[in-house]
Amino acid sequence: MPEPGSPPARRSPPAVRALRWEGGSLVVLDQRQLPGATVHRTLGHLPEVAEAIRTLTVRGAPTIGVAAAYGMVLGQRVDGLGVDEAARLLRETRPTAHDLFVGIAEVERAWREGKDTLEAAAAYERRLVEECHAIGEAGAPLVGQGARVLTHCNAGALATVAWGTALAPIRVAFRSGRDPFVWVDETRPLLQGSRLTAWELREEGIRHAVIADNAAGYFLGRGEVDLVIVGADRITRSGDFANKVGTYEKAVLARENGVPFYVAAPWSTFDASLTRGDEIPVEERSGDEVRNFAGIATAPEGSPVRNPAFDLTPHRFVRGFITPDGVLAPEEIEERLKAQRPLHP
Ligand code: MRU
């Protein structure tokens, strides 16, 4: 682990990588076991990839998209599935992350056109990694010397294969010697902040402190946060977006305290087919994630539970979207999406 003050070279990618294609299988870092154990799993069949996505063994919208792209390859080459069946099994895993549907569609297109599906999946992965590095370069000027950045959930290398979205500008600022500091929301109920974001930051030697979700308002109110950067699971053309539950309240708190709030995302997270946030399908996960933690009851067994995995933040709370092509105001998104090849199935 590099010591703080001796950052790696500006372009050198983080040591953490969420997955790689190796020997005809998808090898993923099991994110359920972090930070306690670094365990890799080899997935050789499409149903195993689908299960890994469903159980959050691999997670984070962009990583899910790449995993699903390789899942399609396995469905064709190993499982002998038809293209419709393969795409359906993967689409059913998690409904909110737009990148999932883009990753599937990229390989589906190659499959239907008789092209090399593995090359399509690998090209999709390469493009995502390049886009995330570009997000880092575009957002780094927002992270000044010693800037204190609040983030929610994990929008780092684990969530995007490499670099991250919200963490990419922080990484590039760190590599430029600007010594940023990160407030890490723990992110109940599955603790992606304290388990995963803090682990990634420690691996790189970036200064940080983990806080209980409920403490964010306290530090924002004391003037100890300079900016907020989060990732997203789906962004509509108005700029309304879905991200890990708890994001909306952080955006409201940031506005109340005059702290700029940014959303970092690759183009695969933008859904040009939707306008308003309430059109985004929000995944509701098992109540057991709230009722128990690590085998210990955290609510009475009979108590009903609601467990939305994401919430919706209106675009009026967003100062800017950090994209691979620069920082855009919410009102610039629609025009920008029109100029692109459509990235939706
Ligand atoms: O349920 P998860 O852990 O997959 O949720 C992840 C998030 O909400 C991330 O913030 C989002 O996917 C952006 S990751 C670059």
Side-chain angles (χ1 to χ4, degrees), residues 22-28 39-45 48-49 74:
E22 211 171 270
S25 295
L26 182 63
V27 179
V28 302
V39 175
H40 288 90
R41 297 200 177 279
T42 302
L43 312 174
H45 298 274
E48 291 173 356
V49 175
L74 292 169

Side-chain angles (χ1 to χ4, degrees), residues 13-84:
V16 174
R17 199 172 174 99
L19 53 75
R20 64 180 79 247
W21 180 262
E22 211 171 270
S25 295
L26 182 63
V27 179
V28 302
L29 180 53
D30 187 341
Q31 299 191 31
R32 296 168 307 176
Q33 308 221 24
L34 290 169
T38 312
V39 175
H40 288 90
R41 297 200 177 279
T42 302
L43 312 174
H45 298 274
L46 180 149
E48 291 173 356
V49 175
E51 188 60 9
I53 293 172
R54 198 174 289 114
T55 56
L56 273 56
T57 304
V58 281
R59 50 146 296 285
T63 292
I64 291 172
V66 175
Y70 285 116
M72 290 289 283
V73 177
L74 292 169
Q76 180 196 40
R77 297 189 173 192
V78 180
D79 302 310
L81 296 173
V83 59
D84 292 329

Side-chain angles (χ1 to χ4, degrees), residues 176-343:
S176 310
R178 289 210 289 280
D179 197 22
F181 173 86
V182 186
W183 293 109
V184 180
D185 287 345
E186 65 173 349
T187 316
R188 281 281 289 153
L190 297 180
L191 306 184
Q192 288 93 331
S194 56
R195 291 190 305 105
L196 306 178
T197 299
W199 180 75
E200 281 194 35
L201 295 171
R202 262 192 75 79
E203 289 288 308
E204 289 219 15
I206 297 175
R207 295 185 304 128
H208 64 280
V210 177
I211 57 173
D213 289 323
N214 300 337
Y218 173 72
F219 290 108
L220 279 156
R222 285 168 57 96
E224 295 190 43
V225 180
D226 299 308
L227 70 162
V228 180
I229 312 180
V230 298
D233 284 77
R234 196 183 290 230
I235 304 169
T236 70
R237 50 179 189 245
S238 71
D240 293 356
F241 72 100
N243 191 47
K244 179 56 55 194
V245 69
T247 299
Y248 173 41
E249 61 192 47
K250 304 305 179 286
V252 175
L253 282 164
R255 162 68 59 86
E256 163 71 11
N257 290 284
V259 172
F261 183 95
Y262 293 94
V263 181
W267 290 115
S268 50
T269 306
F270 288 82
D271 184 348
S273 74
L274 302 184
T275 306
R276 293 191 325 272
D278 61 9
E279 296 171 61
I280 300 174
V282 173
E283 175 184 9
E284 178 117 10
R285 294 185 63 85
S286 164
D288 289 342
E289 292 179 350
V290 177
R291 245 180 238 114
N292 305 288
F293 192 77
I296 295 172
T298 52
E301 213 181 302
S303 288
V305 165
R306 292 293 308 273
N307 185 21
F310 304 98
D311 63 20
L312 304 169
T313 302
H315 64 266
R316 67 177 182 279
F317 291 104
V318 181
R319 171 73 61 89
F321 288 88
I322 309 172
T323 76
D325 297 307
V327 182
L328 303 180
E331 51 278 11
E332 291 178 282
I333 289 173
E334 184 157 12
E335 278 308 305
R336 194 59 74 101
L337 290 178
K338 275 188 203 148
Q340 287 186 337
R341 176 166 77 90
L343 276 181

